[in-house]
Amino acid sequence: MTTHPHRKVIIIGSGPAGLTAAVYAARASLTPLVIEGEPSSTSDQPGGQLMLTTEVENFPGFPEGVQGPELMQRMRDQAARFGAEFLTEKATNIDFSGHPHRVWVRDDEYTADAIIVSTGARSLMLGLPNETSLIGHGVSTCATCDGFFFRGQEIAVVGGGDSAIEEASFLTKFATKVTIIHRRDKFRASKIMQERAFNNPKITVRWNSQVTQLFGEKKLEAIEVTDTNSGATERVALGGLFVAIGHRPNTDLFAGVLDMEDTGYLVTQPGSTRTNVAGVFACGDVQDHTYRQAITAAGSGCMAAIDAERWLEHQHATTSK
Ligand code: NAP
C-alpha cells in the first residue's frame, strides 16, 4: 500500500463538471488531484459522457460546433495549465467519516481536506453488440443534443417512460415521423405525457416491440424490431434511433455515506453543492436528473469549486483562531 501526499482538494470524475471544478480549484491555487476514471470503461471513462458523442453544437463559445472528445480535452488542458494533476484510474473506495477524507485507488491511499464528487451518470443502453460504436453515428441518448441532426428524417425512440415521450415530442420538431418502440402494451409515463404523445400526429407507437439488432457499419442504416408476443422480426430502415430507457448515476461508491434519492442521485443542499458530509461537494449529472447538459454540469462544477474553496477558508479561519 502507498500513501500519497495530502491534498487540499480531490475531484473524483472528469466530465464537464469535474474539469470545470478543476479549472476553478487550480486557479485558486488548491492544486487539485483529479481521479479521472479508466479509459477502458464506457460508463465512467475520463471525460464522461461527451466522450461518447460526436458533434456538440450547444456549448457556448463554439459557433461552428466542437467534437465531444475535443471539448473535454480542451477542458482538461485548461485545468492542467493551472496546476491540476490527473490520475487516470478509477477511485475504488472512500472513507468520508473523519478528517482528512480518504480515497483509494486500488491499494493506494489519497487524502484531502475537501472532496468534489463529479462521477456523472450513464444512459442505460439496450446492450446490442454495435450500439456503443454507433453512438454519434445514428444512435443517440440525448434528443436535446442531437435532434437537430435528424431534420427531415424518420426516426425511432425506444422506451415507455416520461423520458421516451419527452424525447419523442421534442424530436417531432425536426423529424418527419417519430416511432416510439415500447416493449409492453402500456406506457409507464405519466398520463399527461402519454396524451402528449397520442395527440401528436407525427408520433406513432409500436407496442410490444423490442429493438433486437442494429444494422450499419459506420452509420446506423436500419434496425430489427421483434414482436414480443409472436417473436416475428422486421427490418426497418431508419435515420436515427434514440435510446431513452433511463439513466443511472455513478454513485455505488458512495452508498451508505452520501445522502441519495431512491434513484441513486446524490442529494445536495438547495442552492449549493454541499452534500450531507462536511467538506464533500457534488456537481454535474451525479446530482442532476433534470437538465443533464454539459453546460449545466460545468456550471455546477464551478459552484462546487467555489463552495469547496470557501469551506476550506472557513475551516482554516476557525482552526487557526
Ligand atoms: P423510466 O421511468 O425508468 O422508464 C424507462 C422505460 O424504458 C420504461 O418504459 C421501460 O420499460 C423501458 N426500458 C427499460 N429497459 C429497457 C430495455 N432494456 N429495453 C427496452 N425498454 C426498456 O425512465 P425515464 O423515462 O428516464 O424516467 C426516469 C424518471 O425521470 C421518472 O421518474 C420520470 O417520471 C422522470 N422524468 C420526468 C420527466 C418530466 O416530467 N418531464 C421527463 C423525463 C423523466 P417498462 O415500462 O416495460 O419497464
Side-chain angles (χ1 to χ4, degrees), residues 31-319:
T31 335
L33 174 69
V34 184
I35 301 178
E36 63 177 344
E38 259 175 8
S40 57
S41 163
T42 50
S43 62
D44 45 11
Q45 71 280 24
Q49 295 171 80
L50 281 190
M51 299 303 282
L52 300 176
T53 59
T54 48
E55 192 81 0
V56 178
E57 289 188 330
N58 54 7
F59 200 90
F62 294 90
E64 269 81 50
V66 58
Q67 296 290 307
E70 187 195 338
L71 179 62
M72 298 325 297
Q73 185 61 46
R74 282 169 165 258
M75 286 192 195
R76 191 181 188 279
D77 291 348
Q78 194 172 352
R81 179 182 153 211
F82 295 113
E85 290 170 21
F86 291 87
L87 184 63
T88 312
E89 299 222 44
K90 225 172 132 163
T92 48
N93 205 355
I94 50 114
D95 180 355
F96 297 161
S97 61
H99 280 277
H101 296 308
R102 301 157 80 193
V103 181
W104 283 268
V105 172
R106 292 171 286 103
D107 284 340
D108 285 8
E109 182 182 339
Y110 296 82
T111 61
D113 297 321
I115 303 281
I116 295 176
V117 176
S118 49
T119 46
R122 58 190 183 278
S123 299
L124 296 182
M125 301 302 291
L126 298 168
L128 300 172
N130 48 350
E131 195 176 17
T132 308
S133 62
L134 286 172
I135 289 180
H137 306 281
V139 175
S140 172
T141 55
C142 177
T144 313
C145 319
D146 299 333
F148 193 72
F149 302 123
F150 295 92
R151 275 162 298 169
Q153 299 188 36
E154 291 197 7
I155 57 182
V157 176
V158 187
D162 283 331
S163 292
I165 295 187
E166 192 172 69
E167 303 263 280
S169 305
F170 178 77
L171 288 166
T172 58
K173 290 183 188 184
F174 312 103
T176 49
K177 182 182 168 196
V178 179
T179 305
I180 299 178
I181 301 173
H182 184 36
R183 63 184 178 184
R184 290 189 296 135
D185 62 357
K186 269 191 220 74
F187 281 136
R188 174 182 297 277
S190 53
K191 271 256 151 11
I192 185 162
M193 295 293 275
Q194 298 199 25
E195 278 163 21
R196 203 167 290 170
F198 296 140
N199 292 335
N200 189 322
K202 279 189 173 178
I203 296 180
T204 54
V205 184
R206 195 160 175 157
W207 303 106
N208 300 313
S209 299
Q210 282 271 38
V211 176
T212 41
Q213 273 197 74
L214 305 177
F215 301 106
E217 289 279 304
K218 295 211 167 96
K219 196 181 166 307
L220 180 76
E221 287 160 11
I223 59 172
E224 179 189 76
V225 180
T226 301
D227 185 306
T228 56
N229 291 328
S230 67
T233 59
E234 187 191 345
R235 186 182 162 120
V236 180
L238 212 57
L241 181 73
F242 285 77
V243 180
I245 60 173
H247 293 85
R248 289 285 173 280
N250 299 317
T251 51
D252 290 354
L253 195 59
F254 312 106
V257 176
L258 298 181
D259 285 351
M260 295 177 191
E261 295 174 12
D262 292 346
T263 46
Y265 285 89
L266 297 185
V267 175
T268 49
Q269 292 169 19
S272 101
T273 60
R274 287 173 180 245
T275 67
N276 57 304
V277 175
V280 179
F281 305 85
C283 53
D285 285 14
V286 75
Q287 50 85 60
D288 167 26
H289 48 73
T290 308
Y291 301 105
R292 295 196 302 244
Q293 299 301 301
I295 190 68
T296 49
S300 73
C302 161
M303 288 166 63
I306 292 175
D307 286 346
E309 188 190 352
R310 290 184 181 159
W311 183 83
L312 287 166
E313 264 171 26
H314 180 74
Q315 293 303 109
H316 181 69
T318 28
T319 50

